[in-house]
Amino acid sequence: MIRVCDDPENLSRAAAELFTIAAQRAVAARGRFSVVLAGGSTPRRSYQMLARPPVCNQVPWAQVHVFWGDERCVPPHDPRSNARMAHEALLGQVPLPAAQVHPMNCTGDPAAAARDYQQQLKIFFGKGEPRFDLILLGLGSDGHTASLFPDSPALAENTRWVVETRKPEEDFSRTTLTLPLINHAALVVFLVAGESKTAILRQMLAAGATDPPLPAQLIRPQPGELLWLVDRAAAGE
Ligand code: 6PG
């Protein structure tokens, strides 16, 4: 489903509302809410909204468990760190137990960091299905999402939940959740704003996948739901 919001502010508000509703429902049903945060810049405003009244008072923070969809293998305080952005915009301001925040710390050996993160997920999900209640994703102008880039070997990974990867033109590695884990989620929401995303969004949503499919076209949660939150600028005409 696609929901067109008037502007980035309304898109961020809609994302914060979705987060709140998903959290309340998950806690009511299972006593906890597991959410995967997106990196990049688009989600920042929705994180800031979640950190302030009235929205922050509607989230059962004591039962929220935060994970990341991907991370750049840079020091935690590096401005490129996805965890740093989320801490500044949200996590540093809400009463969320530190033990329930799971950053992907991959400043050492990225492959070891991916294995370690997978182990954390195995412990969290235990014998149950690794099904996140909500996964937030962004969309790169090349069709990547999380750190699943076009033509990446990570796209073919069908057993590991977390892998190390690289964006070709970057001088640092990344770790990313893989398609099998993302597609297990109960709800996946893409946040796409700005006219720089018009072309890729049109390509994404055109009838029939491109060949090879763009990474974001491989996000097909089953039996979970997929929602696109886009603003008018990204939606184009
Ligand atoms: C990352 C993100 C990445 C991001 C998209 C969109 O670590 O780079 O996870 O997938 O979501 O590149 O980024 P913007 O929101 O900044 O356009």
PDB file of all heavy atoms in Angstrom, residues 37-43 69-72 80 82 137-142 144-149 167 170 174 191-193 196-197, ligand 1:
ATOM      1  N   LEU A  37      15.213   0.212  13.301  1.00  0.00           N
ATOM      2  CA  LEU A  37      15.284   1.598  12.841  1.00  0.00           C
ATOM      3  C   LEU A  37      16.046   1.693  11.531  1.00  0.00           C
ATOM      4  O   LEU A  37      17.010   0.959  11.298  1.00  0.00           O
ATOM      5  CB  LEU A  37      15.968   2.477  13.898  1.00  0.00           C
ATOM      6  CG  LEU A  37      15.271   2.575  15.259  1.00  0.00           C
ATOM      7  CD1 LEU A  37      16.037   3.543  16.159  1.00  0.00           C
ATOM      8  CD2 LEU A  37      13.815   2.997  15.125  1.00  0.00           C
ATOM      9  N   ALA A  38      15.611   2.623  10.694  1.00  0.00           N
ATOM     10  CA  ALA A  38      16.319   2.892   9.443  1.00  0.00           C
ATOM     11  C   ALA A  38      17.398   3.940   9.703  1.00  0.00           C
ATOM     12  O   ALA A  38      17.293   4.757  10.622  1.00  0.00           O
ATOM     13  CB  ALA A  38      15.350   3.411   8.380  1.00  0.00           C
ATOM     14  N   GLY A  39      18.405   3.889   8.873  1.00  0.00           N
ATOM     15  CA  GLY A  39      19.456   4.905   8.939  1.00  0.00           C
ATOM     16  C   GLY A  39      19.164   5.995   7.927  1.00  0.00           C
ATOM     17  O   GLY A  39      18.016   6.193   7.513  1.00  0.00           O
ATOM     18  N   GLY A  40      20.211   6.692   7.530  1.00  0.00           N
ATOM     19  CA  GLY A  40      20.036   7.785   6.579  1.00  0.00           C
ATOM     20  C   GLY A  40      19.429   9.000   7.261  1.00  0.00           C
ATOM     21  O   GLY A  40      19.361   9.092   8.483  1.00  0.00           O
ATOM     22  N   SER A  41      18.920   9.907   6.451  1.00  0.00           N
ATOM     23  CA  SER A  41      18.428  11.189   6.993  1.00  0.00           C
ATOM     24  C   SER A  41      16.900  11.291   7.081  1.00  0.00           C
ATOM     25  O   SER A  41      16.367  11.977   7.945  1.00  0.00           O
ATOM     26  CB  SER A  41      18.954  12.336   6.118  1.00  0.00           C
ATOM     27  OG  SER A  41      18.533  12.116   4.770  1.00  0.00           O
ATOM     28  N   THR A  42      16.202  10.585   6.203  1.00  0.00           N
ATOM     29  CA  THR A  42      14.733  10.749   6.171  1.00  0.00           C
ATOM     30  C   THR A  42      14.050  10.462   7.506  1.00  0.00           C
ATOM     31  O   THR A  42      13.164  11.218   7.914  1.00  0.00           O
ATOM     32  CB  THR A  42      14.114   9.875   5.053  1.00  0.00           C
ATOM     33  OG1 THR A  42      14.730  10.198   3.804  1.00  0.00           O
ATOM     34  CG2 THR A  42      12.611  10.073   4.964  1.00  0.00           C
ATOM     35  N   PRO A  43      14.464   9.412   8.237  1.00  0.00           N
ATOM     36  CA  PRO A  43      13.700   9.080   9.455  1.00  0.00           C
ATOM     37  C   PRO A  43      13.941  10.031  10.636  1.00  0.00           C
ATOM     38  O   PRO A  43      13.209  10.000  11.620  1.00  0.00           O
ATOM     39  CB  PRO A  43      14.206   7.680   9.822  1.00  0.00           C
ATOM     40  CG  PRO A  43      15.098   7.234   8.738  1.00  0.00           C
ATOM     41  CD  PRO A  43      15.546   8.441   7.983  1.00  0.00           C
ATOM     42  N   GLY A  69      18.556  -1.723  11.004  1.00  0.00           N
ATOM     43  CA  GLY A  69      18.552  -2.470   9.743  1.00  0.00           C
ATOM     44  C   GLY A  69      19.935  -2.546   9.140  1.00  0.00           C
ATOM     45  O   GLY A  69      20.278  -3.492   8.432  1.00  0.00           O
ATOM     46  N   ASP A  70      20.745  -1.530   9.437  1.00  0.00           N
ATOM     47  CA  ASP A  70      22.114  -1.553   8.938  1.00  0.00           C
ATOM     48  C   ASP A  70      22.938  -0.518   9.684  1.00  0.00           C
ATOM     49  O   ASP A  70      22.406   0.329  10.406  1.00  0.00           O
ATOM     50  CB  ASP A  70      22.173  -1.296   7.427  1.00  0.00           C
ATOM     51  CG  ASP A  70      21.751   0.117   7.059  1.00  0.00           C
ATOM     52  OD1 ASP A  70      20.900   0.696   7.741  1.00  0.00           O
ATOM     53  OD2 ASP A  70      22.303   0.666   6.094  1.00  0.00           O
ATOM     54  N   GLU A  71      24.237  -0.610   9.526  1.00  0.00           N
ATOM     55  CA  GLU A  71      25.134   0.355  10.169  1.00  0.00           C
ATOM     56  C   GLU A  71      26.380   0.510   9.327  1.00  0.00           C
ATOM     57  O   GLU A  71      26.801  -0.443   8.641  1.00  0.00           O
ATOM     58  CB  GLU A  71      25.482  -0.097  11.577  1.00  0.00           C
ATOM     59  CG  GLU A  71      26.326   0.895  12.370  1.00  0.00           C
ATOM     60  CD  GLU A  71      25.686   2.270  12.480  1.00  0.00           C
ATOM     61  OE1 GLU A  71      25.791   3.072  11.513  1.00  0.00           O
ATOM     62  OE2 GLU A  71      25.067   2.549  13.517  1.00  0.00           O
ATOM     63  N   ARG A  72      26.925   1.717   9.398  1.00  0.00           N
ATOM     64  CA  ARG A  72      28.213   1.946   8.753  1.00  0.00           C
ATOM     65  C   ARG A  72      29.284   1.585   9.775  1.00  0.00           C
ATOM     66  O   ARG A  72      29.168   1.904  10.966  1.00  0.00           O
ATOM     67  CB  ARG A  72      28.340   3.416   8.367  1.00  0.00           C
ATOM     68  CG  ARG A  72      27.318   3.868   7.305  1.00  0.00           C
ATOM     69  CD  ARG A  72      25.996   4.306   7.929  1.00  0.00           C
ATOM     70  NE  ARG A  72      25.049   4.825   6.971  1.00  0.00           N
ATOM     71  CZ  ARG A  72      24.977   6.089   6.571  1.00  0.00           C
ATOM     72  NH1 ARG A  72      25.835   6.943   7.045  1.00  0.00           N
ATOM     73  NH2 ARG A  72      24.085   6.480   5.698  1.00  0.00           N
ATOM     74  N   ARG A  80      28.462   9.797  10.557  1.00  0.00           N
ATOM     75  CA  ARG A  80      27.842   8.889   9.579  1.00  0.00           C
ATOM     76  C   ARG A  80      27.144   7.699  10.249  1.00  0.00           C
ATOM     77  O   ARG A  80      26.472   6.908   9.586  1.00  0.00           O
ATOM     78  CB  ARG A  80      28.922   8.375   8.603  1.00  0.00           C
ATOM     79  CG  ARG A  80      29.558   9.463   7.751  1.00  0.00           C
ATOM     80  CD  ARG A  80      30.811   8.976   7.040  1.00  0.00           C
ATOM     81  NE  ARG A  80      31.854   8.593   8.021  1.00  0.00           N
ATOM     82  CZ  ARG A  80      33.099   8.255   7.672  1.00  0.00           C
ATOM     83  NH1 ARG A  80      33.442   8.212   6.403  1.00  0.00           N
ATOM     84  NH2 ARG A  80      33.993   7.915   8.594  1.00  0.00           N
ATOM     85  N   ASN A  82      24.562   5.439  11.956  1.00  0.00           N
ATOM     86  CA  ASN A  82      23.091   5.413  12.067  1.00  0.00           C
ATOM     87  C   ASN A  82      22.657   5.375  13.531  1.00  0.00           C
ATOM     88  O   ASN A  82      21.631   5.960  13.909  1.00  0.00           O
ATOM     89  CB  ASN A  82      22.521   4.194  11.327  1.00  0.00           C
ATOM     90  CG  ASN A  82      22.620   4.343   9.819  1.00  0.00           C
ATOM     91  OD1 ASN A  82      22.650   5.456   9.297  1.00  0.00           O
ATOM     92  ND2 ASN A  82      22.687   3.225   9.112  1.00  0.00           N
ATOM     93  N   LEU A 137      12.421   1.336   6.821  1.00  0.00           N
ATOM     94  CA  LEU A 137      13.453   1.305   5.783  1.00  0.00           C
ATOM     95  C   LEU A 137      13.453   2.617   5.010  1.00  0.00           C
ATOM     96  O   LEU A 137      12.413   3.274   4.877  1.00  0.00           O
ATOM     97  CB  LEU A 137      13.206   0.153   4.796  1.00  0.00           C
ATOM     98  CG  LEU A 137      13.387  -1.269   5.319  1.00  0.00           C
ATOM     99  CD1 LEU A 137      12.965  -2.268   4.243  1.00  0.00           C
ATOM    100  CD2 LEU A 137      14.835  -1.519   5.744  1.00  0.00           C
ATOM    101  N   GLY A 138      14.618   2.975   4.482  1.00  0.00           N
ATOM    102  CA  GLY A 138      14.699   4.093   3.549  1.00  0.00           C
ATOM    103  C   GLY A 138      14.914   3.526   2.148  1.00  0.00           C
ATOM    104  O   GLY A 138      15.059   2.317   1.967  1.00  0.00           O
ATOM    105  N   LEU A 139      14.937   4.424   1.177  1.00  0.00           N
ATOM    106  CA  LEU A 139      15.156   4.017  -0.221  1.00  0.00           C
ATOM    107  C   LEU A 139      16.252   4.892  -0.807  1.00  0.00           C
ATOM    108  O   LEU A 139      16.123   6.123  -0.835  1.00  0.00           O
ATOM    109  CB  LEU A 139      13.868   4.186  -1.035  1.00  0.00           C
ATOM    110  CG  LEU A 139      13.966   3.896  -2.535  1.00  0.00           C
ATOM    111  CD1 LEU A 139      14.253   2.414  -2.794  1.00  0.00           C
ATOM    112  CD2 LEU A 139      12.690   4.339  -3.264  1.00  0.00           C
ATOM    113  N   GLY A 140      17.329   4.279  -1.240  1.00  0.00           N
ATOM    114  CA  GLY A 140      18.390   5.053  -1.887  1.00  0.00           C
ATOM    115  C   GLY A 140      18.012   5.346  -3.335  1.00  0.00           C
ATOM    116  O   GLY A 140      17.182   4.642  -3.930  1.00  0.00           O
ATOM    117  N   SER A 141      18.626   6.352  -3.914  1.00  0.00           N
ATOM    118  CA  SER A 141      18.246   6.728  -5.292  1.00  0.00           C
ATOM    119  C   SER A 141      18.716   5.679  -6.311  1.00  0.00           C
ATOM    120  O   SER A 141      18.344   5.727  -7.476  1.00  0.00           O
ATOM    121  CB  SER A 141      18.812   8.110  -5.636  1.00  0.00           C
ATOM    122  OG  SER A 141      20.178   8.139  -5.311  1.00  0.00           O
ATOM    123  N   ASP A 142      19.495   4.704  -5.841  1.00  0.00           N
ATOM    124  CA  ASP A 142      19.887   3.584  -6.731  1.00  0.00           C
ATOM    125  C   ASP A 142      19.026   2.347  -6.457  1.00  0.00           C
ATOM    126  O   ASP A 142      19.273   1.272  -6.982  1.00  0.00           O
ATOM    127  CB  ASP A 142      21.373   3.237  -6.523  1.00  0.00           C
ATOM    128  CG  ASP A 142      21.643   2.797  -5.083  1.00  0.00           C
ATOM    129  OD1 ASP A 142      20.719   2.879  -4.244  1.00  0.00           O
ATOM    130  OD2 ASP A 142      22.782   2.359  -4.785  1.00  0.00           O
ATOM    131  N   HIS A 144      18.694   0.940  -3.462  1.00  0.00           N
ATOM    132  CA  HIS A 144      19.126   0.151  -2.291  1.00  0.00           C
ATOM    133  C   HIS A 144      18.208   0.441  -1.118  1.00  0.00           C
ATOM    134  O   HIS A 144      17.538   1.477  -1.063  1.00  0.00           O
ATOM    135  CB  HIS A 144      20.594   0.430  -1.940  1.00  0.00           C
ATOM    136  CG  HIS A 144      20.851   1.665  -1.138  1.00  0.00           C
ATOM    137  ND1 HIS A 144      21.286   2.843  -1.692  1.00  0.00           N
ATOM    138  CD2 HIS A 144      20.735   1.902   0.196  1.00  0.00           C
ATOM    139  CE1 HIS A 144      21.446   3.749  -0.740  1.00  0.00           C
ATOM    140  NE2 HIS A 144      21.105   3.193   0.413  1.00  0.00           N
ATOM    141  N   THR A 145      18.236  -0.489  -0.166  1.00  0.00           N
ATOM    142  CA  THR A 145      17.544  -0.265   1.102  1.00  0.00           C
ATOM    143  C   THR A 145      18.352  -0.962   2.189  1.00  0.00           C
ATOM    144  O   THR A 145      19.077  -1.923   1.886  1.00  0.00           O
ATOM    145  CB  THR A 145      16.089  -0.775   1.076  1.00  0.00           C
ATOM    146  OG1 THR A 145      15.401  -0.328   2.251  1.00  0.00           O
ATOM    147  CG2 THR A 145      16.007  -2.283   0.952  1.00  0.00           C
ATOM    148  N   ALA A 146      18.262  -0.471   3.395  1.00  0.00           N
ATOM    149  CA  ALA A 146      19.220  -0.861   4.446  1.00  0.00           C
ATOM    150  C   ALA A 146      20.600  -0.711   3.808  1.00  0.00           C
ATOM    151  O   ALA A 146      20.870   0.297   3.159  1.00  0.00           O
ATOM    152  CB  ALA A 146      18.920  -2.266   4.968  1.00  0.00           C
ATOM    153  N   SER A 147      21.450  -1.743   3.918  1.00  0.00           N
ATOM    154  CA  SER A 147      22.714  -1.667   3.148  1.00  0.00           C
ATOM    155  C   SER A 147      22.753  -2.809   2.148  1.00  0.00           C
ATOM    156  O   SER A 147      23.770  -3.498   1.964  1.00  0.00           O
ATOM    157  CB  SER A 147      23.929  -1.696   4.080  1.00  0.00           C
ATOM    158  OG  SER A 147      24.105  -0.427   4.704  1.00  0.00           O
ATOM    159  N   LEU A 148      21.599  -3.026   1.518  1.00  0.00           N
ATOM    160  CA  LEU A 148      21.482  -4.024   0.440  1.00  0.00           C
ATOM    161  C   LEU A 148      21.568  -3.251  -0.876  1.00  0.00           C
ATOM    162  O   LEU A 148      20.614  -2.600  -1.291  1.00  0.00           O
ATOM    163  CB  LEU A 148      20.168  -4.784   0.554  1.00  0.00           C
ATOM    164  CG  LEU A 148      20.007  -5.623   1.845  1.00  0.00           C
ATOM    165  CD1 LEU A 148      18.568  -6.067   2.012  1.00  0.00           C
ATOM    166  CD2 LEU A 148      20.951  -6.818   1.834  1.00  0.00           C
ATOM    167  N   PHE A 149      22.726  -3.303  -1.501  1.00  0.00           N
ATOM    168  CA  PHE A 149      22.984  -2.488  -2.689  1.00  0.00           C
ATOM    169  C   PHE A 149      22.825  -3.317  -3.961  1.00  0.00           C
ATOM    170  O   PHE A 149      22.946  -4.556  -3.920  1.00  0.00           O
ATOM    171  CB  PHE A 149      24.406  -1.899  -2.612  1.00  0.00           C
ATOM    172  CG  PHE A 149      24.588  -0.970  -1.451  1.00  0.00           C
ATOM    173  CD1 PHE A 149      25.225  -1.406  -0.290  1.00  0.00           C
ATOM    174  CD2 PHE A 149      24.074   0.316  -1.486  1.00  0.00           C
ATOM    175  CE1 PHE A 149      25.355  -0.567   0.810  1.00  0.00           C
ATOM    176  CE2 PHE A 149      24.206   1.168  -0.394  1.00  0.00           C
ATOM    177  CZ  PHE A 149      24.841   0.726   0.758  1.00  0.00           C
ATOM    178  N   LYS A 167      29.432  -0.485   0.357  1.00  0.00           N
ATOM    179  CA  LYS A 167      28.868   0.315  -0.750  1.00  0.00           C
ATOM    180  C   LYS A 167      30.064   0.628  -1.628  1.00  0.00           C
ATOM    181  O   LYS A 167      31.071   1.155  -1.124  1.00  0.00           O
ATOM    182  CB  LYS A 167      28.240   1.598  -0.186  1.00  0.00           C
ATOM    183  CG  LYS A 167      27.488   2.436  -1.202  1.00  0.00           C
ATOM    184  CD  LYS A 167      26.786   3.601  -0.513  1.00  0.00           C
ATOM    185  CE  LYS A 167      25.864   4.362  -1.454  1.00  0.00           C
ATOM    186  NZ  LYS A 167      25.156   5.459  -0.748  1.00  0.00           N
ATOM    187  N   GLU A 170      32.462   3.607  -1.095  1.00  0.00           N
ATOM    188  CA  GLU A 170      32.817   4.021   0.283  1.00  0.00           C
ATOM    189  C   GLU A 170      34.095   3.321   0.762  1.00  0.00           C
ATOM    190  O   GLU A 170      34.388   2.198   0.341  1.00  0.00           O
ATOM    191  CB  GLU A 170      31.652   3.710   1.237  1.00  0.00           C
ATOM    192  CG  GLU A 170      30.466   4.628   1.036  1.00  0.00           C
ATOM    193  CD  GLU A 170      29.290   4.249   1.922  1.00  0.00           C
ATOM    194  OE1 GLU A 170      29.255   3.095   2.435  1.00  0.00           O
ATOM    195  OE2 GLU A 170      28.384   5.083   2.065  1.00  0.00           O
ATOM    196  N   ARG A 174      30.074  -2.057   5.975  1.00  0.00           N
ATOM    197  CA  ARG A 174      28.761  -1.928   6.620  1.00  0.00           C
ATOM    198  C   ARG A 174      28.324  -3.311   7.068  1.00  0.00           C
ATOM    199  O   ARG A 174      28.845  -4.331   6.614  1.00  0.00           O
ATOM    200  CB  ARG A 174      27.730  -1.383   5.621  1.00  0.00           C
ATOM    201  CG  ARG A 174      27.958   0.071   5.193  1.00  0.00           C
ATOM    202  CD  ARG A 174      27.118   0.382   3.965  1.00  0.00           C
ATOM    203  NE  ARG A 174      27.112   1.805   3.595  1.00  0.00           N
ATOM    204  CZ  ARG A 174      26.041   2.596   3.694  1.00  0.00           C
ATOM    205  NH1 ARG A 174      24.909   2.120   4.180  1.00  0.00           N
ATOM    206  NH2 ARG A 174      26.089   3.858   3.325  1.00  0.00           N
ATOM    207  N   LEU A 191      10.123   4.841   4.214  1.00  0.00           N
ATOM    208  CA  LEU A 191       9.956   6.291   4.349  1.00  0.00           C
ATOM    209  C   LEU A 191      10.735   6.933   3.204  1.00  0.00           C
ATOM    210  O   LEU A 191      11.960   6.809   3.133  1.00  0.00           O
ATOM    211  CB  LEU A 191      10.511   6.778   5.694  1.00  0.00           C
ATOM    212  CG  LEU A 191      10.050   6.037   6.946  1.00  0.00           C
ATOM    213  CD1 LEU A 191      10.689   6.655   8.190  1.00  0.00           C
ATOM    214  CD2 LEU A 191       8.542   6.042   7.054  1.00  0.00           C
ATOM    215  N   VAL A 192       9.993   7.574   2.273  1.00  0.00           N
ATOM    216  CA  VAL A 192      10.639   8.116   1.071  1.00  0.00           C
ATOM    217  C   VAL A 192      10.182   9.555   0.857  1.00  0.00           C
ATOM    218  O   VAL A 192       8.994   9.811   0.642  1.00  0.00           O
ATOM    219  CB  VAL A 192      10.292   7.269  -0.172  1.00  0.00           C
ATOM    220  CG1 VAL A 192      11.103   7.737  -1.385  1.00  0.00           C
ATOM    221  CG2 VAL A 192      10.559   5.785   0.093  1.00  0.00           C
ATOM    222  N   ALA A 193      11.123  10.483   0.909  1.00  0.00           N
ATOM    223  CA  ALA A 193      10.757  11.902   0.773  1.00  0.00           C
ATOM    224  C   ALA A 193      11.739  12.611  -0.140  1.00  0.00           C
ATOM    225  O   ALA A 193      12.917  12.249  -0.222  1.00  0.00           O
ATOM    226  CB  ALA A 193      10.760  12.581   2.139  1.00  0.00           C
ATOM    227  N   SER A 196      14.415  13.987  -5.099  1.00  0.00           N
ATOM    228  CA  SER A 196      15.547  13.160  -5.565  1.00  0.00           C
ATOM    229  C   SER A 196      15.142  11.690  -5.645  1.00  0.00           C
ATOM    230  O   SER A 196      15.834  10.865  -6.240  1.00  0.00           O
ATOM    231  CB  SER A 196      16.744  13.313  -4.610  1.00  0.00           C
ATOM    232  OG  SER A 196      16.413  12.743  -3.350  1.00  0.00           O
ATOM    233  N   LYS A 197      14.006  11.354  -5.044  1.00  0.00           N
ATOM    234  CA  LYS A 197      13.571   9.939  -5.049  1.00  0.00           C
ATOM    235  C   LYS A 197      12.456   9.680  -6.070  1.00  0.00           C
ATOM    236  O   LYS A 197      11.950   8.565  -6.195  1.00  0.00           O
ATOM    237  CB  LYS A 197      13.066   9.578  -3.649  1.00  0.00           C
ATOM    238  CG  LYS A 197      14.084   9.803  -2.545  1.00  0.00           C
ATOM    239  CD  LYS A 197      15.271   8.839  -2.636  1.00  0.00           C
ATOM    240  CE  LYS A 197      16.349   9.197  -1.646  1.00  0.00           C
ATOM    241  NZ  LYS A 197      16.015   8.877  -0.251  1.00  0.00           N
TER     242      LYS A 197
HETATM  243  C1  6PG B   1      22.038   3.894   5.261  1.00  0.00           C
HETATM  244  C2  6PG B   1      20.560   3.655   5.195  1.00  0.00           C
HETATM  245  C3  6PG B   1      20.092   3.697   3.776  1.00  0.00           C
HETATM  246  C4  6PG B   1      19.119   4.856   3.688  1.00  0.00           C
HETATM  247  C5  6PG B   1      18.871   5.238   2.254  1.00  0.00           C
HETATM  248  C6  6PG B   1      18.012   6.507   2.188  1.00  0.00           C
HETATM  249  O1  6PG B   1      22.647   3.484   6.244  1.00  0.00           O
HETATM  250  O2  6PG B   1      22.553   4.538   4.344  1.00  0.00           O
HETATM  251  O3  6PG B   1      20.133   2.590   5.850  1.00  0.00           O
HETATM  252  O4  6PG B   1      19.468   2.519   3.337  1.00  0.00           O
HETATM  253  O5  6PG B   1      17.898   4.485   4.324  1.00  0.00           O
HETATM  254  O6  6PG B   1      20.122   5.484   1.658  1.00  0.00           O
HETATM  255  O7  6PG B   1      18.722   7.525   2.851  1.00  0.00           O
HETATM  256  P1  6PG B   1      18.077   8.985   3.034  1.00  0.00           P
HETATM  257  O8  6PG B   1      16.919   8.812   3.969  1.00  0.00           O
HETATM  258  O9  6PG B   1      19.186   9.805   3.656  1.00  0.00           O
HETATM  259  O10 6PG B   1      17.664   9.449   1.658  1.00  0.00           O
END
